[in-house]
Amino acid sequence: PPVSKPTACRKARKKLNIRTEAQVVLLAGRLDLMTKYQPAPLIQCLEELRQTHPDLELLVYGEAPSNTMLTLWKETCRELAPSLPIHWIPGRDIELAKPVRWAADVFVSLADNPQETFGITPLEAMAAELPCLVSDWDGYRESVVQPGEPGDATGFRVTTRLVAGLGKEEAQHLLLHESNDYSRAVGRVAQGIAVDLEQFKQRLSKLLRAPDLRAAMGRAGRRRVESRYHWQIVIEQWRALTADLTE
């Protein structure tokens, strides 16, 4: 974590050629339409928010499973958000893992499929004192604390809905009959999962308008990572589990 978040932010933006006055949303992780999330709704929302937040910019840090998939992402962004400045940083550039997080104002992840179980990217964002705006999905419910919940708020979770009963057929084909591959199975299920985009826009707009709120959530996130998810904490949980299982 940075000693001084503002200083780290200024240095990181200079390194990445990002304007000082920009309002930067970070998207970090795997760039995969099938096993991560469908980016089109997010990109459309960011384009619409440019009307009220003209300094809004997107910072993408990650790797696609193929050049074809990366091309799909970039073409989608150009078509749906022609006015949105986007900074593409390859995830293989490990030395930039810290600067991309320090350069951002808000971390976003709208994961919408079954493969997203725990989710480490929100923790990496919180370690860099970034407020998190994520889908209300699986492990994100544990790591990202909202206002009004026990503990200090580290961000917002966006209402996420699943078609009732969805996934049974895909699971049977995948696990019992072995007639479907993993990516196709979770990709099909994701078609019946939706994130509340109006709520997303409202909450992102609120964060962009409130630097003090962002800073408070960022500090709370860093404290949460250090107290709950630091490796020294987690390894003791593993020790306790091992002892319990041995007994």
Side-chain angles (χ1 to χ4, degrees):
V3 175
S4 168
K5 174 70 174 179
T7 300
C9 181
R10 286 195 299 272
K11 291 182 178 179
R13 290 194 177 191
K14 184 177 181 180
K15 183 180 184 71
L16 299 173
N17 195 28
I18 298 175
R19 296 181 303 131
T20 303
E21 64 274 19
Q23 292 187 306
V24 179
V25 171
L26 172 65
L27 189 160
R30 204 167 55 258
L31 306 180
D32 193 339
L33 299 171
M34 297 293 285
T35 66
K36 190 66 177 180
Y37 62 86
Q38 164 59 251
L42 169 64
I43 301 303
Q44 286 177 309
C45 286
L46 295 180
E47 175 72 5
E48 293 171 9
L49 282 170
R50 286 269 297 171
Q51 297 177 14
T52 51
H53 300 278
D55 289 323
L56 182 62
E57 299 186 11
L58 176 62
L59 176 56
V60 180
Y61 179 63
E63 288 289 331
S66 66
N67 289 333
T68 300
M69 185 71 76
L70 181 59
T71 299
L72 280 173
W73 268 75
K74 291 188 174 183
E75 288 179 349
T76 296
C77 290
R78 283 195 295 268
E79 291 176 10
L80 299 181
S83 75
L84 178 68
I86 302 179
H87 307 271
W88 298 91
I89 308 295
R92 61 180 175 273
D93 290 345
I94 301 300
E95 71 279 2
L96 296 180
K98 294 178 181 180
V100 295
R101 292 174 173 88
W102 295 341
D105 294 298
V106 179
F107 170 77
V108 168
S109 179
L110 300 184
D112 65 1
N113 72 68
Q115 69 77 37
E116 192 64 81
T117 52
F118 177 71
I120 197 171
T121 53
L123 304 189
E124 294 169 333
M126 287 190 283
E129 297 185 21
L130 283 176
C132 295
L133 183 57
V134 300
S135 48
D136 191 20
W137 185 257
D138 218 338
Y140 288 3
R141 298 177 178 183
E142 174 188 322
S143 57
V144 178
V145 180
Q146 299 191 110
E149 295 179 339
D152 296 329
T154 64
F156 292 105
R157 300 193 308 273
V158 182
T159 300
T160 307
R161 297 177 176 88
L162 168 70
V163 173
L166 186 68
K168 180 179 179 180
E169 179 183 348
E170 286 77 13
Q172 288 177 335
H173 285 297
L174 181 64
L175 301 175
L176 298 180
H177 310 303
E178 298 183 357
S179 59
N180 202 359
D181 66 60
Y182 175 77
S183 295
R184 189 175 298 275
V186 296
R188 279 190 57 181
V189 175
Q191 303 307 304
I193 300 168
V195 177
D196 189 325
L197 297 180
E198 286 303 316
Q199 187 183 92
F200 167 77
K201 287 190 290 185
Q202 292 169 6
R203 291 184 171 178
L204 179 55
S205 182
K206 181 175 182 177
L207 286 170
L208 294 176
R209 295 181 188 276
D212 291 343
L213 176 62
R214 296 199 305 270
M217 286 182 166
R219 291 191 296 268
R222 179 171 166 181
R223 291 194 301 270
R224 186 170 178 80
V225 168
E226 291 173 344
S227 65
R228 291 177 64 94
Y229 303 113
H230 191 284
W231 74 267
Q232 290 176 323
I233 304 294
V234 175
I235 199 65
E236 292 307 321
Q237 294 174 337
W238 276 103
R239 290 182 194 276
L241 174 62
T242 302
D244 183 61
L245 292 174
T246 301
E247 183 181 349

